Amino acid sequence: QVQLVESGGGLVQPGGSLRLSCTTSGFIVSIASMNWYRQTPGSQREIVALISSSGITDYAASVKGRFTISRDNVKNTVYLQMNSLKPEDTGVYYCRNSQRNIWGQGTQVTVTS
Protein backbone atom coordinates (compact mmCIF):
# COMPACT_ATOMS: atom_id res chain seq x y z
CA GLN A 1 0.00 0.00 0.00
CA VAL A 2 1.41 3.34 -1.07
CA GLN A 3 1.35 5.95 1.69
CA LEU A 4 2.79 9.39 2.18
CA VAL A 5 2.83 11.03 5.61
CA GLU A 6 4.00 14.61 6.01
CA SER A 7 5.33 16.07 9.24
CA GLY A 8 7.41 18.98 10.48
CA GLY A 9 5.02 21.86 9.97
CA GLY A 10 4.37 24.46 12.60
CA LEU A 11 4.44 28.12 13.56
CA VAL A 12 7.57 30.11 12.78
CA GLN A 13 8.57 33.76 12.65
CA PRO A 14 9.56 35.45 9.40
CA GLY A 15 13.17 34.65 8.59
CA GLY A 16 12.98 31.33 10.38
CA SER A 17 13.40 27.80 9.10
CA LEU A 18 11.48 24.55 9.05
CA ARG A 19 12.19 21.12 7.64
CA LEU A 20 9.26 19.14 6.36
CA SER A 21 9.44 15.38 6.07
CA CYS A 22 7.46 13.06 3.82
CA THR A 23 7.74 9.50 5.07
CA THR A 24 6.81 7.04 2.36
CA SER A 25 5.87 3.39 2.12
CA GLY A 26 4.86 1.03 -0.64
CA PHE A 27 7.40 2.22 -3.20
CA ILE A 28 11.10 2.97 -3.56
CA VAL A 29 11.64 6.68 -3.14
CA SER A 30 15.09 6.60 -4.75
CA ILE A 31 13.53 5.96 -8.17
CA ALA A 32 10.37 7.99 -7.67
CA SER A 33 9.52 11.44 -8.91
CA MET A 34 8.37 13.40 -5.86
CA ASN A 35 6.84 16.83 -5.44
CA TRP A 36 6.05 19.28 -2.67
CA TYR A 37 2.96 21.43 -3.14
CA ARG A 38 1.38 24.08 -0.98
CA GLN A 39 -2.12 25.45 -0.76
CA THR A 40 -3.44 28.63 0.82
CA PRO A 41 -7.14 29.26 1.57
CA GLY A 42 -9.03 30.13 -1.57
CA SER A 43 -6.18 29.15 -3.85
CA GLN A 44 -5.28 26.09 -5.86
CA ARG A 45 -2.39 23.93 -4.88
CA GLU A 46 0.85 25.12 -6.39
CA ILE A 47 3.99 23.09 -6.84
CA VAL A 48 6.96 24.47 -4.93
CA ALA A 49 9.63 21.82 -5.48
CA LEU A 50 10.27 18.58 -7.31
CA ILE A 51 12.91 15.91 -7.43
CA SER A 52 12.94 13.58 -10.40
CA SER A 53 13.70 9.89 -10.39
CA SER A 54 17.20 10.77 -11.57
CA GLY A 55 17.68 13.33 -8.81
CA ILE A 56 17.15 16.50 -10.80
CA THR A 57 15.54 19.21 -8.70
CA ASP A 58 13.52 22.27 -9.61
CA TYR A 59 11.71 24.99 -7.70
CA ALA A 60 9.01 27.57 -8.06
CA ALA A 61 10.47 31.02 -8.63
CA SER A 62 9.00 32.22 -5.34
CA VAL A 63 11.05 29.75 -3.29
CA LYS A 64 14.19 29.30 -5.36
CA GLY A 65 17.28 29.91 -3.26
CA ARG A 66 15.36 29.46 -0.01
CA PHE A 67 13.91 25.93 -0.23
CA THR A 68 15.75 22.69 -0.84
CA ILE A 69 14.19 19.34 -1.69
CA SER A 70 16.12 16.18 -0.93
CA ARG A 71 15.58 12.52 -0.22
CA ASP A 72 17.04 9.88 2.06
CA ASN A 73 16.95 6.59 0.21
CA VAL A 74 17.65 4.55 3.33
CA LYS A 75 14.77 6.10 5.27
CA ASN A 76 12.56 6.29 2.16
CA THR A 77 11.84 9.89 3.09
CA VAL A 78 11.67 13.13 1.13
CA TYR A 79 12.47 16.45 2.80
CA LEU A 80 11.78 20.09 2.16
CA GLN A 81 14.20 22.40 3.94
CA MET A 82 12.67 25.85 4.10
CA ASN A 83 14.85 28.82 5.06
CA SER A 84 14.26 32.57 5.20
CA LEU A 85 10.55 31.94 5.54
CA LYS A 86 8.10 34.69 4.64
CA PRO A 87 4.46 35.20 5.64
CA GLU A 88 3.46 34.36 2.07
CA ASP A 89 4.92 30.88 2.56
CA THR A 90 2.04 30.13 4.91
CA GLY A 91 -0.13 27.25 3.79
CA VAL A 92 -0.71 23.52 3.91
CA TYR A 93 2.18 21.64 2.39
CA TYR A 94 1.57 18.36 0.61
CA CYS A 95 3.89 15.65 -0.59
CA ARG A 96 3.05 13.85 -3.84
CA ASN A 97 4.30 10.87 -5.77
CA SER A 98 3.83 12.25 -9.25
CA GLN A 99 4.15 8.93 -11.06
CA ARG A 100 1.27 7.41 -9.12
CA ASN A 101 -0.53 10.67 -8.29
CA ILE A 102 -0.64 9.78 -4.62
CA TRP A 103 -0.88 12.59 -2.04
CA GLY A 104 -0.20 12.86 1.65
CA GLN A 105 -2.59 14.46 4.11
CA GLY A 106 -0.63 17.71 4.37
CA THR A 107 1.09 19.63 7.14
CA GLN A 108 0.34 23.23 8.12
CA VAL A 109 3.06 25.87 7.95
CA THR A 110 2.32 29.28 9.43
CA VAL A 111 4.81 32.13 9.16
CA THR A 112 3.87 35.07 11.33
CA SER A 113 5.37 37.49 13.80
Side-chain angles (χ1 to χ4, degrees):
Q1 182 181 2
V2 176
Q3 277 192 318
L4 307 175
V5 179
E6 300 96 334
S7 62
L11 181 66
V12 64
Q13 292 186 339
S17 298
L18 283 174
R19 188 178 77 158
L20 305 184
S21 299
C22 174
T23 304
T24 75
S25 59
F27 64 96
I28 301 172
V29 76
S30 64
I31 56 172
S33 180
M34 301 294 296
N35 312 141
W36 281 99
Y37 282 74
R38 71 182 173 200
Q39 185 170 24
T40 55
S43 300
Q44 291 188 337
R45 290 182 190 182
E46 60 170 344
I47 189 168
V48 295
L50 66 87
I51 184 165
S52 73
S53 56
S54 59
I56 296 171
T57 60
D58 201 4
Y59 302 90
S62 60
V63 307
K64 195 167 290 187
R66 300 188 297 122
F67 289 12
T68 303
I69 187 171
S70 63
R71 61 186 173 207
D72 184 324
N73 298 333
V74 174
K75 295 182 178 179
N76 238 27
T77 299
V78 180
Y79 301 100
L80 185 68
Q81 178 68 43
M82 306 187 296
N83 299 329
S84 302
L85 282 162
K86 305 175 181 180
E88 51 263 44
D89 294 319
T90 294
V92 180
Y93 283 71
Y94 298 89
C95 179
R96 173 180 178 247
N97 178 315
S98 62
Q99 292 150 319
R100 301 185 185 215
N101 196 27
I102 301 293
W103 297 80
Q105 83 290 348
T107 186
Q108 175 70 45
V109 171
T110 303
V111 185
T112 182
S113 54

